[in-house]
Amino acid sequence: MVVPQAPARYGSEVSAGRNRTSPADSTAPTGPSGTSIISSVRDDVPSVIELLAAAVAGIRGEDRPGQVAMAEAVQRAMETGEHLAVQAGTGTGKSLAYLVPAVRHAMTAQTTVVVATATIALQRQLIDRDLPRLAAALEPLLGREPLFAILKGRRNYLCLHRQRGGAAAEDPQDALFDPADAGPTSPLGRQVKRLHEWAEETTTGDRDELVPGVPEAAWRQVSVSAQECIGAQRCPFGSRCFAERAREAAAKAHIVVTNHALLAIDATSEVDVLPEHDIVVIDEAHDLVDRVTSATMGELSGPAVEVAARRAARLTEPAWQDGAQAVADGLRQAAGALALDLGDAPTGRMDVLPDTLAATLASVRDAAGACAEAVRAGANGLEEDPQRLAINRMTLALVDDLHRTGGRILDAFAEPIAARREVVWLDRPPVEDTRRPPTLRVAPLEVGPVLRERLFGRRTVALTSATLSLGGSFAPLAAQWGLAAESDDQLAWTGIDVGSPFDHRHSGILYVARHLPPPGRDQLPEAYLTELEELIDAAGGRTLGLFSSTRAAIQAAAALRDRIAHPLLCQGDDATAQLIRQFAEDEPSCLFGTLSLWQGVDVPGSALQLVVIDRIPFPRPDDPLASARQRAVAARGGNGFMTVAAAQAALLLAQGTGRLLRTMSDRGVVAILDPRLVTARYGGFLRASLPPFWTTTDPEMVRAALRRLSAASPSSAR
């Protein structure tokens, strides 16, 4: 049995599977608050190893040393209160490795463990497959069946009050879509009709269970946010509320599965949206920073302010008192000014706020604040009228958000650039996209300080993913999370790599096309297209092309469709899930796409034997957040390029190359067309972040290997 090395404090890193010693004895383990967290654990509870063995047997699996090492490391973190980062390669069985100690801790300490994921797919895997089988396998040993539940933000559940007309459906003029699309026979109208039919069938009201899904504009017609909800006590459908039922189930569960966004809201707000818990497990932790950033982002646009003004103006007596109509008119005037200012403003990051725009934002903030006060005053006496109360709440949520975001954007410019904690930028849609308006966005420069104070400082956290070690170290991501802070107040954490069951050196080749020119800023060079054509021909299709931009993917697909003898699918031709299914089922086919495919494709077997990456996926130089973060690191004396741009590129490269091997029998090639991976000074850092494939720069050797793989595949044999 392989066990992890005794963790050292303050950011140590160990690699599982090599030179291990038994964990050091721990006495009186405590959590971040200093209180004992295992005082209620009984002596007769089976060990994590016994429970893991039962779970593996229950699913008819096999022993995996990395899984055992990870389970013991997670258990130790729960006992000591020391945070843990675990890199566990595909095939390790990391879900069981954290679920088993999580169940043991929750049931023995009579508490709840929260498991947060980034993707719907993993949530479904945990709730629909892993946890039911685990509960059945562990019940005989634990004496009762573990309880589990899934919990999401209120906006993710259908609201029966809204759906049944408790709050008037949005006026088409209020929507941020073309009013012509709102009729009952329009595409949007048909989607809303489908939602009403689904409402009569669903037992959960969970949006993610509606397949295929619906656009956001349609979902808004049947859902409410937490701020818009009138409360179960006042709602005529309160006893049947899907969101309330989910919260009640979560309150009774040992394991609650949620998403990174709700975890971020729970950690960053003063409202507890998750059940009381002392342990958090974060899966897909490589995505945590981006998900938390998105969850804490604010935005303003002219049409959004206009919608709020119209909503406020429609409130009538007694909800709307003397002088309030003038306040709504003020907000509408501010909306028009904002639309004009944003229409003229340059796209991208704003380091200086123009005086005119500053004045307009101040008018938006002040008018929205005045509207909010009037709407709150008008709510008196509405407790007995759920329909009018719902309309009031929806309006209040809109104007409150405008007031908060307007103030937040103005406050972002109050400090000198080097001291700013938030980034503001203007996002302008492509010229052909006439539906989306120019939008001003604001997001935190760093999420680490908030996570450090509100998450890691209050609970024990275990983070895991197949990709956490960048350049051979956990430090880059630990710094982004706030675990490794530049202060005397250090948090205790350990990073371990439990390895992978795959023999990468004998299962895959990493080929870097050193002979190609460096990639250009615009179109793919002809030499890249020729190289790609030759690789696909050698592989007999079976190629996943990962491109750094949608434009590059479309260009490559258009150029190669007439040059190769295999079907070529391109992201955007159909729904992404459908394209992936078609790619997996039609073995000689190829699939080209961009960022969502770098992490979202799981195609085992001979249908995928070649992964091609067009260039190192550095963030764009004009990316507002990445560029601001690089500048902030440089201002502190660090290397902004390596800390931000190279770390992001390493993370994506590791995720992209991880698409190749999905089972123990998979074989293939990862081809990176960008020669900088071996010629640039930062190339060593990037290569150290990738799986340990056998590496070559010889194109003929790689093509020969691909031809052998193609000839040996089942479809070629037929």
Side-chain angles (χ1 to χ4, degrees):
M1 177 179 68
V2 181
V3 296
Q5 180 177 325
R9 298 178 67 80
Y10 309 131
S12 70
E13 303 176 15
V14 298
S15 180
R18 299 184 293 275
N19 300 324
R20 298 203 186 284
T21 61
S22 297
D25 292 338
S26 175
T27 59
T30 60
S33 63
T35 58
S36 174
I37 60 177
I38 61 167
S39 58
S40 58
V41 177
R42 305 191 313 271
D43 293 335
D44 61 341
V45 176
S47 70
V48 163
I49 300 306
E50 292 173 303
L51 293 174
L52 180 61
V56 171
I59 64 172
R60 298 182 180 179
E62 56 186 28
D63 292 336
R64 301 171 183 176
Q67 186 181 60
V68 173
M70 178 174 172
E72 291 192 325
V74 172
Q75 173 67 15
R76 180 174 179 80
M78 292 177 178
E79 292 178 346
T80 64
E82 186 171 77
H83 303 300
L84 175 70
V86 185
Q87 178 164 284
T90 302
T92 302
K94 66 178 183 296
S95 296
L96 281 185
Y98 63 70
L99 287 176
V100 167
V103 166
R104 184 180 188 274
H105 173 81
M107 295 188 71
T108 54
Q110 297 300 306
T111 187
T112 297
V113 173
V114 169
V115 176
T117 78
T119 62
I120 295 170
L122 182 53
Q123 289 175 27
R124 287 177 173 168
Q125 175 189 316
L126 294 175
I127 289 294
D128 297 338
R129 190 185 72 182
D130 293 349
L131 280 165
R133 295 195 295 180
L134 178 64
L138 298 189
E139 180 182 12
L141 292 175
L142 295 174
R144 58 193 177 104
E145 188 170 355
L147 302 177
F148 56 89
I150 187 168
L151 184 62
K152 305 174 185 179
R154 188 172 293 271
R155 179 65 87 178
N156 292 278
Y157 298 97
L158 181 139
C159 172
L160 290 172
H161 188 226
R162 182 85 191 273
Q163 183 258 330
R164 303 291 173 87
E170 287 184 355
D171 186 322
Q173 294 184 20
D174 280 1
L176 299 182
F177 50 83
D178 190 338
D181 286 348
T185 60
S186 67
L188 180 62
R190 289 194 295 271
Q191 294 286 12
V192 173
K193 181 176 182 292
R194 179 168 162 247
L195 280 169
H196 284 281
E197 293 170 349
W198 175 70
E200 302 302 319
E201 304 170 358
T202 180
T203 59
T204 66
D206 186 340
R207 178 181 182 176
D208 294 331
E209 293 186 4
L210 181 64
V211 179
V214 296
E216 180 63 24
W219 184 252
R220 284 203 305 264
Q221 310 301 307
V222 297
S223 66
V224 297
S225 67
Q227 293 74 28
E228 295 168 334
C229 177
I230 64 174
Q233 300 300 322
R234 300 186 183 96
C235 180
F237 298 94
S239 62
R240 299 164 54 190
C241 176
F242 294 121
E244 291 298 322
R245 288 182 179 180
R247 288 175 61 87
E248 291 168 3
K252 302 173 184 176
H254 299 106
I255 305 295
V256 173
V257 178
T258 188
N259 51 48
H260 289 181
L262 195 62
L263 179 68
I265 293 170
D266 186 75
T268 58
S269 70
E270 299 302 324
V271 179
D272 292 330
V273 295
L274 292 170
E276 184 67 28
H277 58 285
D278 61 350
I279 303 289
V280 177
V281 177
I282 301 177
D283 203 340
E284 301 175 309
H286 61 276
D287 261 347
L288 180 63
V289 170
D290 286 345
R291 301 284 176 158
V292 174
T293 300
S294 296
T296 53
M297 184 183 300
E299 60 181 45
L300 277 182
S301 70
V305 179
E306 175 72 20
V307 166
R310 272 202 295 263
R311 288 275 189 87
R314 284 203 300 267
L315 291 181
T316 56
E317 295 288 353
W320 204 234
Q321 303 297 329
D322 294 340
Q325 185 67 44
V327 175
D329 288 342
L331 186 59
R332 178 172 288 181
Q333 292 170 8
L338 182 64
L340 288 174
D341 287 350
L342 296 186
D344 296 335
T347 303
R349 192 185 73 222
M350 286 188 178
D351 291 335
V352 177
L353 185 63
D355 292 341
T356 302
L357 181 56
T360 298
L361 288 170
S363 67
V364 169
R365 177 198 60 195
D366 296 343
C371 276
E373 290 180 9
V375 173
R376 285 190 178 91
N380 294 329
L382 294 183
E383 288 78 5
E384 304 304 321
D385 190 339
Q387 183 170 354
R388 292 174 63 194
L389 180 61
I391 296 172
N392 184 283
R393 285 288 177 85
M394 292 171 65
T395 305
L396 182 59
L398 281 176
V399 293
D400 262 346
D401 183 63
L402 295 180
H403 175 70
R404 182 170 51 252
T405 305
R408 185 176 165 191
I409 293 173
L410 288 168
D411 290 345
F413 295 92
E415 298 288 342
I417 289 178
R420 289 177 187 170
R421 292 179 292 179
E422 298 216 279
V423 184
V424 177
W425 72 97
L426 181 67
D427 182 16
R428 191 182 304 278
V431 176
E432 61 273 13
D433 187 351
T434 59
R435 300 191 178 199
R436 287 194 299 127
T439 301
L440 202 58
R441 304 188 191 279
V442 57
L445 179 66
E446 298 175 299
V447 299
V450 173
L451 292 176
R452 179 182 178 84
E453 177 187 354
R454 306 294 295 273
L455 178 62
F456 296 110
R458 301 182 182 185
R459 295 176 174 90
T460 302
V461 184
L463 307 104
T464 186
S465 169
T467 308
L468 292 184
S469 175
L470 304 181
S473 171
F474 288 86
L477 285 181
Q480 293 181 28
W481 298 329
L483 274 179
E486 298 174 0
S487 69
D488 294 332
D489 183 21
Q490 296 291 327
L491 296 176
W493 68 278
T494 298
I496 67 169
D497 181 1
V498 299
S500 168
F502 299 151
D503 184 355
H504 286 92
R505 291 189 177 279
H506 293 91
S507 299
I509 297 173
L510 174 64
Y511 163 57
V512 183
R514 182 170 186 159
H515 62 284
L516 292 179
R521 288 184 176 271
D522 299 318
Q523 294 187 331
L524 290 172
E526 175 60 30
Y528 279 49
L529 296 173
T530 300
E531 184 80 16
L532 186 51
E533 176 187 357
E534 292 173 349
L535 289 168
I536 291 173
D537 284 343
R542 306 180 178 88
T543 300
L544 175 65
L546 302 178
F547 294 84
S548 54
S549 70
T550 301
R551 182 172 60 178
I554 293 174
Q555 178 204 346
L560 292 179
R561 278 190 169 120
D562 294 333
R563 293 164 59 170
I564 63 174
H566 311 288
L568 200 164
L569 311 171
C570 187
Q571 198 171 9
D573 294 343
D574 201 340
T576 300
Q578 175 60 31
L579 291 174
I580 294 173
R581 282 194 295 270
Q582 189 175 342
F583 172 59
E585 293 168 0
D586 184 11
E587 186 168 302
S589 66
C590 304
L591 173 60
F592 288 4
T594 186
L595 292 180
S596 62
L597 296 186
W598 289 65
Q599 304 182 62
V601 176
D602 186 5
V603 179
S606 55
L608 174 52
Q609 294 185 336
L610 172 62
V611 174
V612 179
I613 295 174
D614 69 327
R615 63 187 298 159
I616 298 171
F618 292 120
R620 292 173 55 92
D622 58 357
D623 180 284
L625 274 171
S627 60
R629 287 168 174 169
Q630 287 188 62
R631 182 178 62 187
V633 172
R636 296 194 296 264
N639 186 323
F641 172 78
M642 291 301 297
T643 301
V644 179
Q648 180 175 324
L651 189 60
L652 277 173
L653 278 176
Q655 287 289 309
T657 57
R659 301 309 97 203
L660 181 66
L661 303 183
R662 309 305 295 175
T663 69
M664 298 292 287
S665 59
D666 287 351
R667 302 289 185 271
V669 170
V670 173
I672 298 179
L673 306 185
D674 191 337
R676 294 176 297 174
L677 191 65
V678 293
T679 60
R681 286 182 297 174
Y682 51 76
F685 171 83
L686 298 177
R687 294 195 305 276
S689 307
L690 305 182
F693 295 116
W694 187 81
T695 304
T696 183
T697 58
D698 186 337
E700 183 49 46
M701 180 180 295
V702 167
R703 289 194 291 268
L706 286 170
R707 284 190 287 268
R708 288 193 296 272
L709 281 174
S710 175
S713 68
S715 63
S716 298
R718 291 195 298 268

Coordinates of all heavy atoms in Angstrom, one line a residue, residues 51 55 59 95-96 99-100 103 129-139 146:
L51 N -13.1 1.3 4.2 CA -14.2 1.9 3.5 C -13.9 2.0 2.0 O -14.8 1.7 1.2 CB -14.6 3.2 4.1 CG -15.2 3.2 5.5 CD1 -15.4 4.6 6.0 CD2 -16.5 2.4 5.6
A55 N -15.9 0.2 -1.1 CA -16.4 1.0 -2.2 C -15.9 0.5 -3.5 O -16.7 0.4 -4.5 CB -16.1 2.5 -2.0
I59 N -18.2 -1.3 -6.7 CA -18.4 -0.9 -8.1 C -17.6 -1.9 -9.0 O -17.4 -1.6 -10.2 CB -17.9 0.5 -8.3 CG1 -16.4 0.6 -8.0 CG2 -18.7 1.5 -7.5 CD1 -15.8 2.0 -8.4
S95 N -12.7 10.7 -7.5 CA -14.0 10.9 -6.9 C -14.2 10.1 -5.6 O -14.5 10.6 -4.6 CB -15.1 10.7 -7.9 OG -15.0 11.6 -9.0
L96 N -13.9 8.8 -5.8 CA -14.0 7.9 -4.6 C -13.0 8.3 -3.5 O -13.2 8.2 -2.3 CB -13.8 6.4 -5.0 CG -15.0 5.7 -5.6 CD1 -14.7 4.3 -5.9 CD2 -16.3 5.9 -4.8
L99 N -14.6 11.2 -1.8 CA -15.9 10.9 -1.3 C -15.9 10.0 -0.1 O -16.6 10.2 0.9 CB -16.8 10.4 -2.4 CG -17.3 11.3 -3.4 CD1 -18.1 10.6 -4.5 CD2 -18.1 12.5 -2.9
V100 N -15.0 9.0 -0.1 CA -15.0 8.0 1.0 C -14.6 8.7 2.3 O -15.3 8.6 3.3 CB -14.1 6.8 0.7 CG1 -13.8 6.0 2.0 CG2 -14.7 6.0 -0.4
V103 N -17.5 11.1 3.4 CA -18.6 10.4 4.0 C -18.3 10.0 5.4 O -19.1 10.2 6.4 CB -19.0 9.2 3.2 CG1 -20.0 8.3 3.9 CG2 -19.7 9.6 1.9
R129 N -24.3 8.7 -10.3 CA -23.5 7.4 -10.4 C -22.7 7.2 -9.2 O -22.9 6.2 -8.5 CB -22.6 7.4 -11.6 CG -22.0 6.1 -11.9 CD -21.1 6.1 -13.1 NE -19.8 6.9 -12.8 CZ -18.9 7.1 -13.7 NH1 -19.0 6.7 -14.9 NH2 -17.8 7.7 -13.3
D130 N -21.8 8.1 -8.9 CA -20.8 7.8 -7.8 C -21.4 7.7 -6.4 O -21.2 6.7 -5.7 CB -19.7 8.8 -7.8 CG -18.8 8.8 -9.1 OD1 -19.0 7.8 -9.8 OD2 -18.1 9.7 -9.3
L131 N -22.2 8.7 -6.0 CA -22.7 8.7 -4.7 C -23.8 7.6 -4.4 O -23.7 7.0 -3.3 CB -23.3 10.1 -4.3 CG -22.2 11.1 -3.9 CD1 -22.7 12.5 -4.0 CD2 -21.6 10.8 -2.6
P132 N -24.7 7.3 -5.3 CA -25.6 6.2 -5.1 C -24.9 4.9 -4.9 O -25.2 4.1 -4.0 CB -26.5 6.2 -6.3 CG -26.4 7.6 -6.9 CD -25.0 8.0 -6.6
R133 N -23.9 4.6 -5.7 CA -23.1 3.3 -5.6 C -22.3 3.3 -4.3 O -22.2 2.3 -3.6 CB -22.3 3.1 -6.8 CG -23.1 2.9 -8.1 CD -22.2 2.3 -9.2 NE -21.2 3.2 -9.6 CZ -20.3 2.9 -10.6 NH1 -20.4 1.7 -11.2 NH2 -19.4 3.8 -11.0
L134 N -21.7 4.5 -4.0 CA -20.9 4.5 -2.7 C -21.8 4.4 -1.5 O -21.4 3.6 -0.6 CB -20.2 5.9 -2.7 CG -19.4 6.2 -1.5 CD1 -18.2 5.2 -1.4 CD2 -18.9 7.6 -1.5
A135 N -23.0 5.0 -1.5 CA -23.9 4.9 -0.3 C -24.3 3.4 -0.1 O -24.3 2.9 1.0 CB -25.1 5.7 -0.6
A136 N -24.6 2.7 -1.2 CA -25.0 1.3 -1.1 C -23.8 0.4 -0.6 O -24.0 -0.5 0.2 CB -25.5 0.8 -2.4
A137 N -22.6 0.7 -1.0 CA -21.5 -0.1 -0.6 C -21.1 0.2 0.8 O -20.6 -0.8 1.5 CB -20.3 0.2 -1.6
L138 N -21.3 1.4 1.3 CA -20.8 1.7 2.7 C -21.8 1.5 3.8 O -21.5 1.5 5.0 CB -20.3 3.2 2.7 CG -19.1 3.6 1.8 CD1 -18.7 5.0 2.1 CD2 -18.0 2.6 2.0
E139 N -23.1 1.4 3.4 CA -24.1 1.3 4.4 C -23.9 0.1 5.4 O -24.0 0.2 6.6 CB -25.5 1.1 3.8 CG -26.6 1.0 4.8 CD -28.0 0.8 4.1 OE1 -28.0 0.6 2.9 OE2 -29.0 0.9 4.8
P146 N -25.4 6.7 3.9 CA -25.1 8.1 3.8 C -26.1 8.9 2.9 O -26.6 8.3 2.0 CB -23.7 8.1 3.1 CG -23.2 6.7 3.3 CD -24.4 5.9 3.3

